[in-house]
Each structure stands twice: as structure tokens, then as C-alpha cells.
Amino acid sequence: MWAIEVKNLSKVFRKTTFGRRQEEWALKGVSFQVGVGETYALLGPNGSGKSTLIRILSTLLLPDAGRVHILGHPLPQEERKVREKIGRVSVDAAFYKKLSPQENLLFAAQLYGLSPREAEARAMAILERLGLETRRFGDPLEEMSRGMQQKVAIARALLIRPPLLLLDEPTTGLDPKSRRDVQAFLEELRREEGTTILLTTHDMVEAERLAHRLGFLARGQLVAEGTAEELKRLAGALDLEEAFIRLTGEGLQEEAHAP
Amino acid sequence: MLRRFLLPMWAFVFRDFHLTRRYFSWVLVFTFYAIVNAATIALIGVAQGDFRLTLTLVLGALLWSYLSAMYQEIANSIAYERWEGTLEYTFMAPVSRLVHLLGVSLFATFYSVVRTAVILLGLALFVDLNLQGANLLGVLVVLLVGSLAFMGLGLMAAILPVMSPENGAQATNILQGILLLVSGIYYPVSVLPAWVQPLAYLSPATYALEASRKLMGIQHPASSPEGLVGAPLSAVVPELLVLLLMGLAFIPLGLLVFSLAERWAKRTGKLKRTG
């Protein structure tokens, strides 16, 4: 059984401007699998379809075509079972900013049926491991730095010990220390709990460090996939960035038409 | 049962309580405005020297304060999540929409009761209220039964911010304004233009007010400024039945409409913060 199995997945966004109907393909026939316990990184520039793909896997978006199975459960038919087994961290740490980390995490934990005591103990352990000063656990999140907010977001995703973690650019905008803390924690999580991780990132070094396999996404299509070494060899490139440019025809920082 | 329904439902009460606590200065400002608004309306009756008019206005102000606070809490819960950017996280939790909206409604009921009690206390500073003889317990029953229908309306209004990130929250206010206009909160429905009057009978507030006026004894010939002759609960059974039927129809309808809107939003990508 695959942790993630995606076959011919397509998503199009339609909008009408001045009576003209426009279509923007966010994903076009994407297929890939991620094994249980594997870390898979999706690399692509803005607008390449990474976030759309994560949203579909998170049950927040319905595809127009294709099939998705998460840990053996088909989507959208068994979305409740899928929701019980996934944690998600997005690029923007979305929280009730006036509430403290403690209040935000307890809310999230109770939504998943965890008792407040159980949730608090687990949240404290994760936040301490991520280097967050726990004396600030009761301060409003709006008074905390982006790095601290992102660490709380990671703690929220891990509260339920999900077998599958969907990380959408989790380290974007973090300072180097916070970025290293998060990366080390993800490695530890994979090693100790066997968590499957799907990661989207712009950061080639991060992708190479964390992922067993990588996929290059460009203009909604999966252009190539394999280990970092396989991709470099396939492109005849010295590093991953060069391999990306050669195989996709575009740079990672390029702004494509955002879906 | 505990993990699947009660804890998730309690999560929304927990969240809304702490948000209210953290935004307490806003709550104070809005409650102060509500007291002043109710007092200015009630003082029209005092100026007329008409205790029946005064009581009609006080009852209207309090009942509307309660029902509109409940409607707003439920209808704006989605708009608030969109504003904070947490909507996707709430929607991807393994919680049924019934449990989600029941949790929101539970806190909304508690909040509205407390807020209305505070407004009543504030009103007492401006208007000499003699409620002796009024069937206040009966009014409470009407309010609670009427709450069900208003929860359903709130659920239906809550889809607007799901469907339109830009204008949905404002549209909930238009619906609220229409309810205020057609329900005869401060005047009899009979004074409305003939073409508006049929709408009054679609509003649960119309029945809640009619029943509450009878229970207070406002129109009873024997009522006087020294004491009221409130009707027994049995006298408002028809209104209670209509309110109950409206609640039983509006809540499932609200959930159905909400689930359809959620599915549409998931197809078009409208759950995303920026839409």
C-alpha cells in the first residue's frame, strides 16, 4: 500500500471576465506515488501547482479528473478517514492571532478528539524540541515572530501523531537557525515515528537533505522524478538547481501564472 | 461519542470563549452601543407617557438584541475564520459540519443570553420597568424555541462568506436588516406595506414577538403601569408550534445549503484565504 497514490490528477480553475470564460490549468495529468515512511519533495516555481496538489490531498479541493488514494482511502469518498490521518503545514501559519499558542493548540487538539491534558503535554514536548520558549506559551501569537508562529504550526500538525504529513513550504521565510531546527526535527520524526512526509519547497538544499525522492513540477505537470542523484544524472547536471532548469526549462524563482 | 462529538463540539465553545475574552474591549464597545440604542428607542415610549408603547419598544429591543446576536455569531463565524485565514484548517479537521455548527451555536446562545441580560440591566438605568405579572419564564421558553429557527437562518447566512470572500460578510447584514424590517420588532406588522406583509410570516421573529407580547400582557386590557396581566404559556401554543416547525425545517435546510456551498467552494477553490 502506498501512503499517497495519485493518478492522472487534473485541476482547472475557471473564471469569467467581461463575459469571457477563462480556464487556468493548475494540474495536468499528474501521477506519482509516495511509499509509507518515505519523504518526497515536490519542487516547482510559484504557480506550478504545488499548493493546489497539497490542497487536493488535504481534502480542501476537489479535482476535475484523476484518482487519489491516501493510505489506502480514496478521495473524496473517504475524506473523513483521510482527515484523521493527515497533518498539514502551509506557508502561511494560519492561526487565531489574538489567541496564544496554548489556546490555538488546545482548540486544534479538541477538534481531533484529544483531551486537553494529552494535547498540552504533546504540544509542550514538540515546542521544546523545536526550540520555542515555553514561557511564552500563553502570549498572543500576533506578538511572536514568523519563525515562532511556524513552529507552533508544525506542533499543531503533529498533535495527532499523523502517519502522513503534508508540508507546503514549511521553512519559507524562516531565519537560518529556525530553518535548521525544523529540518532536524523532521528528520527525527521520520526516523523515530516513521512518518511519511510530502514536502513542497523552493529550497534545493533542503529538498536534497530531507527527501528520499524528488519530483519536478512545472506548469501543472510532473516533468521528472527520482532521487537527487538520478535527476542530476538524467539532466547531465552538476547540482539539483541546474537539473531543475534543464528538465523543466524554467528557474525555481520564476513567477508562473498562479492558479 | 466523547472523542467524535463532544470534544470537537466543545472545541468551538472553547475557541469562541477565548476569542471573546481576547477581544473584550470590542465586546464592551458593542454592548455599550446596544444599551444606548435600546434606551433611545425605549425613551420614545416614555416621552409619549404610554407604558404599553414603552414595553413594546423594550421587548422589541431586547428580543432583537438576543436574536440578532445569535444570528450574527453563527453567520459571522465563517467570515471570521476567512479573515483570520483559519478556515481551511477548521474544514480539514475530521468534524462533521453538524458538530461544527452546533458548537458555534452553543456558544452563540450562551453569549446572546448574557449580552441581553446586560442590556436589560443597562436599560433599567433609563426606564422604570415594572414587569410584575408578566410571564417572564414563558418569554424565556419562547426565546429558546425561537433560537432554533434563528440558528437555521444563521447557518444559511453563513454560506455567504464561504461563497464570496469579498462581499459575503456584508451580505449577511442585508439579510439581518430585512428580518429587522419585516418582523415588526417595534411596530405591528399591519403597518407595513401590503406587499411586505407576507414576508413577515416567514420570519421567526414575528412569531416570537407576538407570543412574547401576549406573555408580557402588553395588550391585555387589565394591564396597567402598576402591574401586568401576562398570558399563560398555553395561550401561545400556536406561535410556539410555528417556531418549533421553523426550527425543525431551517436547521436541516441550513446544513444542507451549507454542505452544498462547501462542496461548491471546494470545487472552485474558494476556501483559500484570498479566494
Side-chain angles (χ1 to χ4, degrees):
Chain A
M1 182 185 71
W2 297 102
I4 300 173
E5 192 178 8
V6 172
K7 273 189 190 162
N8 294 321
L9 192 67
S10 293
K11 179 70 197 171
V12 60
F13 291 101
R14 296 179 178 89
K15 62 177 176 183
T16 307
T17 317
F18 299 117
R20 274 189 59 198
R21 201 167 174 188
Q22 289 177 307
E23 287 190 345
E24 286 181 5
W25 286 88
L27 295 171
K28 279 187 204 168
V30 171
S31 299
F32 69 102
Q33 292 93 24
V34 180
V36 173
E38 187 181 14
T39 298
Y40 188 101
L42 272 173
L43 292 154
N46 293 334
S48 58
K50 302 188 301 292
S51 296
T52 299
L53 181 56
I54 293 273
R55 280 196 167 84
I56 291 173
L57 302 183
S58 307
T59 76
L60 293 168
L61 205 52
L62 293 169
D64 290 300
R67 286 192 297 146
V68 178
H69 281 76
I70 302 285
L71 296 159
H73 303 292
L75 278 179
Q77 294 86 341
E78 294 185 14
E79 65 178 15
R80 189 188 171 105
K81 284 182 181 160
V82 170
R83 287 171 177 175
E84 285 168 356
K85 293 177 179 173
I86 58 172
R88 170 177 172 239
V89 179
S90 55
V91 63
D92 51 334
F95 284 109
Y96 303 98
K97 305 281 188 312
K98 284 272 176 202
L99 299 188
S100 66
Q102 184 182 34
E103 288 157 354
N104 271 291
L105 293 175
L106 286 180
F107 167 64
Q110 290 173 97
L111 276 188
Y112 284 81
L114 258 67
S115 73
R117 184 182 292 186
E118 210 177 333
E120 195 155 346
R122 177 133 176 90
M124 291 292 265
I126 297 168
L127 291 174
E128 274 179 39
R129 173 65 192 82
L130 284 169
L132 191 89
E133 300 166 62
T134 48
R135 66 181 169 84
R136 298 197 61 190
F137 209 40
D139 294 347
L141 263 160
E142 65 184 358
E143 294 172 12
M144 297 184 177
S145 66
R146 159 137 173 75
M148 287 164 95
Q149 289 187 12
Q150 197 64 351
K151 286 175 180 178
V152 178
I154 291 169
R156 174 175 59 189
L158 295 175
L159 275 176
I160 54 160
R161 297 178 190 271
L164 174 62
L165 203 50
L166 303 171
L167 305 175
D168 193 4
E169 298 180 33
T171 58
T172 299
L174 296 190
D175 61 75
K177 162 84 171 70
S178 298
R179 187 178 290 226
R180 275 200 305 274
D181 285 344
V182 170
Q183 289 169 349
F185 182 69
L186 292 177
E187 286 176 318
E188 187 182 305
L189 191 72
R190 190 178 62 197
R191 198 169 51 242
E192 291 179 5
E193 305 207 10
T195 307
T196 306
I197 299 173
L198 177 68
L199 169 79
T200 76
T201 183
H202 292 289
D203 185 337
M204 295 288 179
V205 178
E206 178 173 274
E208 209 165 347
R209 172 177 171 180
L210 294 176
H212 297 109
R213 286 190 304 136
L214 305 96
F216 288 167
L217 201 61
R219 297 172 296 277
Q221 290 175 303
L222 193 66
V223 178
E225 66 170 344
T227 63
E229 287 311 312
E230 284 169 351
L231 288 169
K232 281 187 254 183
R233 206 178 314 127
L234 183 68
L238 290 174
D239 60 42
L240 209 50
E241 185 155 4
E242 196 187 338
F244 184 87
I245 293 168
R246 286 192 182 183
L247 291 170
T248 65
E250 54 184 90
L252 265 177
Q253 303 307 320
E254 279 180 38
E255 290 280 336
H257 41 279
Chain B
M1 178 75 178
L2 177 73
R3 285 184 182 265
R4 201 163 174 148
F5 298 106
L6 297 181
L7 272 171
M9 196 191 297
W10 183 252
F12 291 99
V13 178
F14 171 89
R15 178 199 67 181
D16 289 349
F17 170 75
H18 284 287
L19 281 172
T20 305
R21 189 172 65 79
R22 297 276 186 178
Y23 284 103
F24 196 64
S25 56
W26 289 24
V27 174
L28 278 182
V29 170
F30 289 139
T31 308
F32 171 77
Y33 184 82
I35 291 171
V36 171
N37 189 42
T40 52
I41 292 166
L43 286 169
I44 296 171
V46 176
Q48 294 295 312
D50 183 341
F51 83 97
R52 292 183 204 276
L53 177 61
T54 307
L55 279 176
T56 300
L57 295 173
V58 166
L59 178 68
L62 288 173
L63 202 121
W64 182 245
S65 161
Y66 172 79
L67 294 176
S68 63
M70 164 168 289
Y71 167 88
Q72 275 185 340
E73 282 292 310
I74 299 169
N76 290 338
S77 63
I78 300 298
Y80 182 74
E81 294 231 43
R82 191 179 273 291
W83 180 47
E84 285 276 34
T86 52
L87 190 61
E88 287 193 330
Y89 283 90
T90 304
F91 274 35
M92 67 173 277
V95 176
S96 74
R97 219 42 74 215
L98 177 65
V99 169
H100 174 183
L101 296 165
L102 276 178
V104 170
S105 303
L106 198 62
F107 179 78
T109 308
F110 167 75
Y111 175 76
S112 309
V113 166
V114 173
R115 186 174 180 269
T116 306
V118 172
I119 294 170
L120 178 61
L121 289 174
L123 262 183
L125 299 173
F126 297 92
V127 184
D128 187 19
L129 292 170
N130 181 4
L131 300 177
Q132 207 173 9
N135 185 354
L136 294 177
L137 204 63
V139 174
L140 191 67
V141 171
V142 169
L143 275 186
L144 292 177
V145 176
S147 300
L148 298 175
F150 261 75
M151 276 179 204
L153 288 176
L155 296 183
M156 285 185 242
I159 68 164
L160 296 170
V162 175
M163 298 183 75
S164 172
E166 298 85 11
N167 305 314
Q170 292 91 315
T172 61
N173 293 325
I174 293 175
L175 265 181
Q176 191 183 338
I178 292 171
L179 285 172
L180 173 64
L181 176 74
V182 305
S183 306
I185 304 290
Y186 302 115
Y187 41 78
V189 169
S190 57
V191 305
L192 289 167
W195 63 272
V196 180
Q197 287 188 28
L199 289 177
Y201 297 101
L202 296 175
S203 166
T206 305
Y207 302 96
L209 273 160
E210 276 179 16
S212 299
R213 284 174 188 149
K214 287 182 194 171
L215 293 164
M216 295 275 289
I218 293 174
Q219 297 305 331
H220 197 284
S223 288
S224 70
E226 286 71 42
L228 300 167
V229 183
L233 203 57
S234 57
V236 296
V237 168
E239 286 90 347
L240 279 174
L241 278 176
V242 174
L243 285 172
L244 195 63
L245 285 175
M246 279 184 157
L248 291 177
F250 287 0
I251 290 179
L253 189 63
L255 283 167
L256 174 70
V257 171
F258 197 97
S259 68
L260 290 174
E262 185 178 339
R263 190 168 172 79
W264 177 83
K266 281 162 70 172
R267 191 161 286 290
T268 54
K270 294 279 185 187
L271 288 183
K272 202 175 159 186
R273 184 177 197 166
T274 54

